[in-house]
Amino acid sequence: MLGNFEYCNPTKLYFGKKSILKLETELAKYGKKVLLVYGGGSIKKNGIYDEVVGILKKCGKEVAEVGGVMPNPTYEKLLEGAKAAREFGADLILAVGGGSVCDYCKGVSVSAHCKEDVWEKYYERFEEPDCRIIPVGCVLTMVGTGSEMNGGSVITNTAKKMKVGMVFGEEVFPKFAILDPEYTFTLPKYQMVSGIFDIMSHIMEQYFSGDDDNTSDYIMEGLMRSLIHSSRIAVKDPRDYEARSNIMWTATWALNTLVAMGKETDWEVHMIGQAISAHTDATHGMTLAAVSLPYYRTVMPYGIKKFARFAVNVWGVDGKGKTDSETAQEGLRVMEKWMREIGLVLNAGELGVTSDKLGAIADSTLITQGGYKVLTREDVIKILGESLVG
Ligand code: NZQ
Ligand code: ZN
């Protein structure tokens, strides 16, 4: 049964070819000073930077820049951006990049005018901001996180070896997001498939929790089937617009809060993946890929009906004449085949995890309560160990 909920998603989306032209409409709603934020330089190579700056100039904006936002953005970098936004007096923060840039900008938007210790307030106590929030707009160039339409802001504290995701309320969601699938054509294959698995993982994290028959589960099955179908096309032809646009749209729906409404969610794979990144700086989606199979094999006996349903409805396994356990196991085998086919990392060793780090990674792993089994520290170490032979 669906639980009670309130739902609002305030982000306005502009989707499709040349949707960047809508930036002008949005810029008109904000003051003169725009803080333009981007990553390590991909937007300068592929021309997106010139396009955005051209529109900002045309609209008469005064622009300051913060570049060099790294994948897995750090707390130190966040403080640098907050200072820049405050001193410049930014009216709007424009994120041009992937989840890292978008998450970072949300962090900056609530930190620029915050008088408290930002890490403790937002990333340890998970409090909502009570200071002025600078609005954020997003031009998305990498698909996966759903950050373009949610309140998530994942920041790494390198000193504490913690990578923590704060989920802010609606005031911090991007005010608008521009999604042009063609902007993702220049992504390296490693990033593209990492993003594809990130999407898959977001859906699974919300699907594998509770045994209720609710609309969200049906929506998620449809999203996963679309993703699997389109991923196979995109790995063969990364410039297939239909496949890339379907993947982009699925990513947004996978984590724009809708499918989580009224149901429990898990998020343990993300907690282990984030702990891996905190220790290795590995690419987000690949950390999830490396631990998902050992994790789901561990929890499957505690949610066997849902895993059997997943096998049949998502992977097309024929359940006739099989026990739920046999069907469920076959589902994970078919999923593993797909993961290998599209080129995901299944062995955490490839991400810099070594057997002597397992205890420390387990110590950095937050334990969630919503999955089919609440893990122990030993379970986390076992899952990581299994990934090393994956
Ligand atoms: O930095 P640049 O030079 O721009 O290069 C980036 C980066 O190296 C490159 N890239 C992006 N767009 C490109 C491109 N290269 C060529 N052409 C383009 N069009 O791709 C690399 C990865 O970018 P990044 O933004 O780090 O990837 P992603 O979108 O996967 O974001 C990952 C971050 O988001 C967090 C992750 O933990 C991680 O820190 N997440 C945010 C979530 C949220 N807000 O809800 C949820 C997710 O589960 C996730 O945790
Ligand atoms: Zn993710």
Side-chain angles (χ1 to χ4, degrees), residues 12 14 21-30 55 59:
K12 177 153 185 173
Y14 297 94
L21 297 175
K22 299 288 180 184
L23 179 59
E24 211 174 317
T25 316
E26 285 298 323
L27 289 176
K29 299 178 186 169
Y30 303 93
I55 295 170
C59 296

Side-chain angles (χ1 to χ4, degrees), residues 110-180:
V110 296
S111 302
H113 301 289
C114 178
K115 300 269 184 290
E116 296 171 61
D117 182 295
V118 164
W119 181 261
E120 287 175 12
K121 182 176 175 64
Y122 300 132
Y123 299 96
E124 278 182 5
R125 299 199 301 273
F126 300 110
E127 288 173 15
E128 286 293 331
D130 35 28
C131 61
R132 189 183 141 210
I133 301 168
I134 306 173
V136 171
C138 170
V139 177
L140 197 67
T141 67
M142 152 89 197
V143 168
T145 65
S147 187
E148 65 276 12
M149 203 182 188
N150 70 35
S153 172
V154 186
I155 299 295
T156 298
N157 189 318
T158 41
K160 296 191 175 185
K161 288 250 182 283
M162 291 298 288
K163 181 177 177 191
V164 179
M166 166 63 179
V167 182
F168 290 106
E170 2 174 314
E171 295 85 56
V172 187
F173 281 42
K175 300 291 175 221
F176 63 91
I178 291 174
L179 281 67
D180 182 341

Side-chain angles (χ1 to χ4, degrees), residues 40-42 98-100 103 141-142 145 147 150 163 183 186 202 270 284:
S42 69
S100 293
D103 280 17
T141 67
M142 152 89 197
T145 65
S147 187
N150 70 35
K163 181 177 177 191
Y183 276 13
T186 53
H202 293 159
H270 270 65
H284 174 63

Side-chain angles (χ1 to χ4, degrees), residues 34-54:
V34 178
L35 185 70
L36 173 63
V37 182
Y38 51 91
S42 69
I43 65 163
K44 291 202 169 159
K45 285 190 206 125
N46 60 23
I48 297 173
Y49 175 88
D50 289 339
E51 222 169 337
V52 169
V53 168

Side-chain angles (χ1 to χ4, degrees), residues 318-333:
D318 183 357
K320 277 196 206 93
K322 297 188 184 102
T323 63
D324 280 351
S325 175
E326 287 164 349
T327 305
Q329 284 177 36
E330 194 174 330
L332 287 193
R333 278 195 296 274

